[in-house]
Amino acid sequence: MARYINTRYRQFRFLLNKAFPSWEPLLSVRRFWNLMFSYLQWKFGISFFATKPTMLTVEVVRGCNINCIMCGAGETKKSFLSFDKFKELIENFEETIFIFLYLWGEPFLSKDITKIIRYASVQKSKIVTVYSNFTVLPDEVELINSEPYEITASIDTFDKKKYEFIRTGAKFDKVIENLQKLIKTKQKLRKNFPIIGINSIVSEETLDDFELNIKMAIELGVDKIKFQGLFPFPKTGLKDISDRNKIKKITEIKKKYSDRIKIEILPFYGGIGDDFPKGYCFLAHFSGAIDTNGYALPCCMPNQFFNNLSALLLSSYRNDSILGNVFEDHKTYIRNRVDFLRSFRNSRPTFCSNCPLYYR
């Protein structure tokens, strides 16, 4: 119990210091009020001022080095957000607290990834999270010392045959080797951060491996494991879980191991036992996403665009759901985001037309 409390305290202190840096009091005040106004708009529909995303997903790489059967990012032409472009982008999001480096590609393919993380975390006092398939890994020491808050490996199952079927082109043994290298490097450097986690997509094909994944995560020494369903992935190579009894079984297994490892169930199971706020969509009011070309989306789950891979390949998905281009005209993006949120409750936006998170 003492160890658990100490870990939680360290995490809370890290988050607090990054979110509201004492050495930048004016920035801390702006972030606090941006967070409060975002909360009022989400919870009560009250809009006083234009807010900026508290959480921003930045696509540093479009395209992937593997081709998961439920995804399709491996089919897209690769493009990269350079370090200089990232710096230009982030200058306009001072009030943003959390940065997530992923979207529609593998972030560790970027030669600038450790520079990007370090700049956001150290220079701009952001809380940085990276999602990776772990088939490739930057220099482990550089990665740890770039000071991300969390690094998450995408491993849907620890059954090697199933894993390599789902994540076509990936080698299971190499992924586990890279994960172990990062964990050992963190221990060798005596660092409390980053939190190292695993993200697993749960489908009918991997449901029987749910408990195995938790046991292996504990054995490997990762800090947390997250589970999510197939939404918002565009392809149908796996079967989604629709049986409510199976879903409830997941939550029972979670309780069984909750005292040994942090387990999160993301909001894709019809609201059963997940760890996501109820009501109007939390993500729409607190988050945003920017792709490698600078186009801004209302959140990180544009599933209706992902269903049209040809449009994604051509970067031609400019319609009423695109809030603007932050490199071309940041002020227009802010105005469009204000309009999007002010009308959010009155009529379901096109962007959210097929999304189960619009209201829960």
Side-chain angles (χ1 to χ4, degrees), residues 211-271:
E211 190 165 6
L212 170 66
N213 287 11
I214 297 174
K215 289 179 178 179
M216 289 304 300
I218 293 170
E219 184 178 320
L220 284 167
V222 301
D223 302 297
K224 67 189 290 188
I225 184 166
K226 295 183 280 191
F227 295 94
Q228 68 177 89
L230 284 170
F231 171 81
F233 293 93
K235 299 180 75 176
T236 55
L238 299 173
K239 295 178 183 178
D240 210 350
I241 300 170
S242 56
D243 188 329
R244 295 174 69 88
N245 290 325
K246 291 181 180 179
I247 296 169
K248 288 180 180 178
K249 185 179 179 181
I250 290 173
T251 62
E252 291 170 4
I253 296 174
K254 174 186 174 181
K255 292 176 184 176
K256 180 179 176 181
Y257 292 93
S258 60
D259 62 336
R260 299 179 63 187
I261 188 171
K262 182 175 175 56
I263 303 170
E264 293 179 1
I265 299 179
L266 298 183
F268 312 126
Y269 297 115

Side-chain angles (χ1 to χ4, degrees), residues 32-271:
F32 174 80
W33 285 115
N34 186 72
L35 181 63
M36 290 299 101
F37 289 136
S38 297
Y39 177 83
L40 290 173
Q41 192 161 40
W42 165 58
K43 203 69 176 176
F44 306 108
I46 300 171
S47 179
F48 293 111
F49 301 101
T51 58
K52 291 186 178 180
T54 300
M55 306 180 293
L56 187 67
T57 297
V58 180
E59 183 184 56
V60 291
V61 177
R62 165 75 56 83
C64 194
N65 59 332
I66 62 174
N67 197 25
C68 304
I69 63 174
M70 68 290 189
C71 180
E75 300 170 12
T76 68
K77 183 179 179 180
K78 290 185 180 64
S79 61
F80 299 85
L81 186 69
S82 70
F83 176 58
D84 289 338
K85 276 292 185 182
F86 179 80
K87 287 172 66 178
E88 179 185 339
L89 184 157
I90 219 72
E91 288 298 326
N92 288 312
F93 289 91
E94 289 287 343
E95 291 84 359
T96 296
I97 297 172
F98 297 90
I99 296 289
F100 297 89
L101 298 177
Y102 73 100
L103 189 61
W104 196 239
E106 170 49 50
F108 285 164
L109 293 178
S110 170
K111 63 181 178 60
D112 293 330
I113 188 64
T114 54
K115 288 168 62 178
I116 285 171
I117 295 169
R118 185 166 183 80
Y119 182 78
S121 177
V122 179
Q123 298 296 115
K124 307 306 290 184
S125 194
K126 310 288 190 188
I127 298 164
V128 181
T129 294
V130 187
Y131 284 79
S132 170
N133 59 37
F134 265 68
T135 56
V136 291
L137 189 68
D139 181 87
E140 307 93 75
V141 174
E142 280 188 23
L143 184 58
I144 297 290
N145 286 334
S146 65
E147 298 189 23
Y149 173 66
E150 184 174 336
I151 299 176
T152 298
S154 297
I155 303 174
D156 310 306
T157 172
F158 280 84
D159 181 308
K160 179 178 177 179
K161 186 176 180 180
K162 282 187 190 178
Y163 172 87
E164 292 184 351
F165 170 73
I166 293 169
R167 297 193 174 262
T168 307
K171 298 299 181 184
F172 177 79
D173 293 338
K174 184 63 176 178
V175 169
I176 300 304
E177 178 189 328
N178 284 338
L179 181 57
Q180 289 175 323
K181 281 165 64 177
L182 191 66
I183 292 169
K184 288 177 182 177
T185 301
K186 177 185 170 183
Q187 293 169 345
K188 184 178 179 180
L189 294 174
R190 297 181 180 274
K191 297 282 189 177
N192 293 319
F193 297 95
I195 293 170
I196 299 175
I198 290 172
N199 187 69
S200 298
I201 296 168
V202 183
S203 63
E204 287 286 356
E205 291 83 353
T206 62
L207 182 60
D208 291 340
D209 304 323
F210 185 88
E211 190 165 6
L212 170 66
N213 287 11
I214 297 174
K215 289 179 178 179
M216 289 304 300
I218 293 170
E219 184 178 320
L220 284 167
V222 301
D223 302 297
K224 67 189 290 188
I225 184 166
K226 295 183 280 191
F227 295 94
Q228 68 177 89
L230 284 170
F231 171 81
F233 293 93
K235 299 180 75 176
T236 55
L238 299 173
K239 295 178 183 178
D240 210 350
I241 300 170
S242 56
D243 188 329
R244 295 174 69 88
N245 290 325
K246 291 181 180 179
I247 296 169
K248 288 180 180 178
K249 185 179 179 181
I250 290 173
T251 62
E252 291 170 4
I253 296 174
K254 174 186 174 181
K255 292 176 184 176
K256 180 179 176 181
Y257 292 93
S258 60
D259 62 336
R260 299 179 63 187
I261 188 171
K262 182 175 175 56
I263 303 170
E264 293 179 1
I265 299 179
L266 298 183
F268 312 126
Y269 297 115

